[in-house]
Amino acid sequence: MKGIFGIKKNSKEELEFVMFCLMIVCVSCLLFVFFRNLNLCYDLGKDDTDNLIVKLLPENVTLMAMAVCSVLIYLMLRNVKKGQVFTKLNSDFIMAIGVVLECNGILQMVLNAFLSDAVGGNTIPMVYLLLGVFFLFIACLFKVGIRMQEEQDLTI
């Protein structure tokens, strides 16, 4: 079996490499959120425009949602690395990611409706809502699969 870069690898090594890359992405997202929030705070401090907070709030809400999702994904990857893949805890993490994305989409729609002067579409919040529904659906499938596995384990 050829790996990602054409080098022969077994599936365990390839999986560990992919998980390592995902962990790097999660940590990078957290660092991005931290530095972007520092930049937003700096902009807020130096600019005395009255409606600057209205412009910064939607982005900050999305950044916080991204940070929470990154931490949840990191925790889930840590469980997978321990060999705990199809567990109730991972299902709960996926459910939490879906709820965070749903809340972000709803908050973005509310902020766009009440705080924005421009009459623009709500396309981006709709993407968050759809993505949140997808994660909630995957979490439900995880729970059904876990229940089926538990029932099978009890069958002699």
Side-chain angles (χ1 to χ4, degrees):
M1 172 179 192
K2 291 205 174 215
I4 295 173
F5 299 109
I7 302 169
K8 285 199 168 221
K9 292 182 174 184
N10 65 22
S11 62
K12 185 177 180 186
E13 287 176 347
E14 197 169 279
L15 180 64
E16 286 177 359
F17 176 73
V18 170
M19 288 187 44
F20 178 73
C21 291
L22 287 172
M23 285 189 182
I24 288 174
V25 168
C26 288
V27 171
S28 299
C29 285
L30 287 173
L31 288 172
F32 172 77
V33 167
F34 176 74
F35 287 115
R36 183 63 186 142
N37 271 324
L38 281 178
N39 191 19
L40 291 175
C41 290
Y42 175 75
D43 289 344
L44 188 61
K46 78 171 186 169
D47 195 353
D48 59 351
T49 307
D50 291 337
N51 63 351
L52 183 65
I53 191 108
V54 171
K55 293 177 184 175
L56 297 180
L57 191 59
E59 182 179 359
N60 201 19
V61 167
T62 299
L63 287 172
M64 288 297 111
M66 189 169 109
V68 170
C69 288
S70 293
V71 169
L72 291 170
I73 291 170
Y74 176 80
L75 292 173
M76 195 167 43
L77 287 171
R78 196 178 66 182
N79 285 343
V80 170
K81 193 169 186 173
K82 292 178 187 175
Q84 303 167 351
V85 180
F86 296 103
T87 62
K88 185 179 179 327
L89 186 60
N90 283 346
S91 173
D92 292 341
F93 285 148
I94 295 171
M95 184 78 71
I97 290 169
V99 169
V100 167
L101 290 171
E102 286 290 316
C103 290
N104 183 41
I106 292 168
L107 280 171
Q108 292 298 327
M109 289 183 83
V110 168
L111 291 173
N112 281 349
F114 293 112
L115 299 179
S116 180
D117 293 338
V119 181
N122 281 332
T123 306
I124 299 299
M126 294 286 188
V127 170
Y128 286 115
L129 289 172
L130 183 62
L131 197 58
V133 167
F134 176 74
F135 271 90
L136 292 172
F137 176 70
I138 296 297
C140 289
L141 286 179
F142 244 71
K143 287 183 190 262
V144 168
I146 291 167
R147 191 174 327 122
M148 289 172 61
Q149 179 66 36
E150 289 172 351
E151 289 174 6
Q152 184 181 7
D153 290 343
L154 292 175
T155 306
I156 298 177

